[in-house]
Short mmCIF file of all heavy atoms in Angstrom, two decimals:
data_model
loop_
_atom_site.label_atom_id
_atom_site.label_comp_id
_atom_site.label_asym_id
_atom_site.label_seq_id
_atom_site.Cartn_x
_atom_site.Cartn_y
_atom_site.Cartn_z
N VAL A 55 -33.69 -70.13 72.81
CA VAL A 55 -33.58 -69.80 74.22
C VAL A 55 -33.72 -68.30 74.47
O VAL A 55 -34.43 -67.86 75.37
CB VAL A 55 -32.22 -70.31 74.78
CG1 VAL A 55 -31.98 -69.76 76.18
CG2 VAL A 55 -32.20 -71.82 74.79
N THR A 56 -33.06 -67.51 73.64
CA THR A 56 -33.09 -66.05 73.82
C THR A 56 -34.50 -65.50 73.69
O THR A 56 -34.95 -64.68 74.51
CB THR A 56 -32.18 -65.37 72.82
OG1 THR A 56 -30.83 -65.87 72.97
CG2 THR A 56 -32.17 -63.87 73.01
N VAL A 57 -35.22 -65.95 72.66
CA VAL A 57 -36.58 -65.44 72.42
C VAL A 57 -37.53 -65.86 73.52
O VAL A 57 -38.25 -65.04 74.11
CB VAL A 57 -37.10 -65.91 71.05
CG1 VAL A 57 -38.58 -65.57 70.89
CG2 VAL A 57 -36.28 -65.25 69.91
N LEU A 58 -37.53 -67.16 73.85
CA LEU A 58 -38.53 -67.65 74.80
C LEU A 58 -38.24 -67.22 76.22
O LEU A 58 -39.18 -66.93 76.99
CB LEU A 58 -38.61 -69.17 74.71
CG LEU A 58 -39.21 -69.71 73.41
CD1 LEU A 58 -39.18 -71.24 73.39
CD2 LEU A 58 -40.67 -69.26 73.27
N ARG A 59 -37.00 -67.15 76.62
CA ARG A 59 -36.68 -66.74 77.99
C ARG A 59 -36.97 -65.26 78.20
O ARG A 59 -37.18 -64.85 79.35
CB ARG A 59 -35.19 -66.99 78.30
CG ARG A 59 -34.85 -68.46 78.48
CD ARG A 59 -33.42 -68.63 78.87
NE ARG A 59 -33.17 -68.17 80.22
CZ ARG A 59 -31.92 -68.06 80.78
NH1 ARG A 59 -30.87 -68.35 80.05
NH2 ARG A 59 -31.79 -67.66 82.01
N ASN A 60 -37.00 -64.48 77.15
CA ASN A 60 -37.23 -63.04 77.28
C ASN A 60 -38.61 -62.61 76.84
O ASN A 60 -38.87 -61.42 76.67
CB ASN A 60 -36.15 -62.28 76.50
CG ASN A 60 -34.77 -62.46 77.09
OD1 ASN A 60 -34.44 -61.87 78.13
ND2 ASN A 60 -33.96 -63.28 76.46
N THR A 61 -39.50 -63.58 76.62
CA THR A 61 -40.89 -63.30 76.26
C THR A 61 -41.78 -63.59 77.46
O THR A 61 -41.73 -64.69 78.02
CB THR A 61 -41.33 -64.17 75.08
OG1 THR A 61 -40.48 -63.91 73.96
CG2 THR A 61 -42.78 -63.88 74.70
N PRO A 62 -42.62 -62.65 77.89
CA PRO A 62 -43.55 -62.95 78.99
C PRO A 62 -44.46 -64.12 78.63
O PRO A 62 -44.91 -64.23 77.47
CB PRO A 62 -44.36 -61.65 79.11
CG PRO A 62 -43.49 -60.59 78.54
CD PRO A 62 -42.73 -61.26 77.42
N LEU A 63 -44.71 -65.00 79.57
CA LEU A 63 -45.51 -66.19 79.30
C LEU A 63 -46.91 -65.83 78.85
O LEU A 63 -47.47 -66.47 77.96
CB LEU A 63 -45.55 -67.08 80.54
CG LEU A 63 -46.33 -68.39 80.40
CD1 LEU A 63 -45.83 -69.23 79.23
CD2 LEU A 63 -46.26 -69.22 81.70
N THR A 64 -47.49 -64.79 79.42
CA THR A 64 -48.83 -64.36 79.01
C THR A 64 -48.86 -63.98 77.55
O THR A 64 -49.78 -64.32 76.81
CB THR A 64 -49.31 -63.20 79.88
OG1 THR A 64 -49.26 -63.55 81.26
CG2 THR A 64 -50.75 -62.82 79.52
N LEU A 65 -47.83 -63.26 77.11
CA LEU A 65 -47.74 -62.86 75.69
C LEU A 65 -47.60 -64.09 74.80
O LEU A 65 -48.20 -64.15 73.70
CB LEU A 65 -46.55 -61.93 75.49
CG LEU A 65 -46.30 -61.42 74.07
CD1 LEU A 65 -47.50 -60.67 73.56
CD2 LEU A 65 -45.05 -60.55 74.02
N LEU A 66 -46.86 -65.08 75.26
CA LEU A 66 -46.70 -66.31 74.49
C LEU A 66 -48.04 -67.05 74.37
O LEU A 66 -48.37 -67.59 73.31
CB LEU A 66 -45.65 -67.20 75.15
CG LEU A 66 -45.28 -68.48 74.37
CD1 LEU A 66 -44.73 -68.14 73.00
CD2 LEU A 66 -44.29 -69.30 75.16
N PHE A 67 -48.82 -67.04 75.44
CA PHE A 67 -50.16 -67.64 75.39
C PHE A 67 -51.02 -66.94 74.35
O PHE A 67 -51.72 -67.60 73.57
CB PHE A 67 -50.84 -67.55 76.76
CG PHE A 67 -50.68 -68.81 77.58
CD1 PHE A 67 -49.57 -69.02 78.37
CD2 PHE A 67 -51.67 -69.78 77.55
CE1 PHE A 67 -49.43 -70.17 79.13
CE2 PHE A 67 -51.55 -70.95 78.28
CZ PHE A 67 -50.42 -71.14 79.08
N PHE A 68 -50.98 -65.61 74.33
CA PHE A 68 -51.73 -64.85 73.33
C PHE A 68 -51.28 -65.23 71.92
O PHE A 68 -52.09 -65.43 71.00
CB PHE A 68 -51.55 -63.35 73.55
CG PHE A 68 -52.52 -62.77 74.53
CD1 PHE A 68 -52.10 -62.31 75.76
CD2 PHE A 68 -53.89 -62.66 74.21
CE1 PHE A 68 -52.99 -61.76 76.69
CE2 PHE A 68 -54.77 -62.10 75.12
CZ PHE A 68 -54.33 -61.66 76.35
N ALA A 69 -49.96 -65.32 71.72
CA ALA A 69 -49.42 -65.61 70.41
C ALA A 69 -49.84 -66.99 69.93
O ALA A 69 -50.20 -67.18 68.75
CB ALA A 69 -47.90 -65.52 70.43
#
Side-chain angles (χ1 to χ4, degrees):
V55 170
T56 301
V57 171
L58 290 177
R59 288 183 71 188
N60 294 285
T61 300
L63 181 54
T64 304
L65 180 59
L66 186 60
F67 264 86
F68 274 111

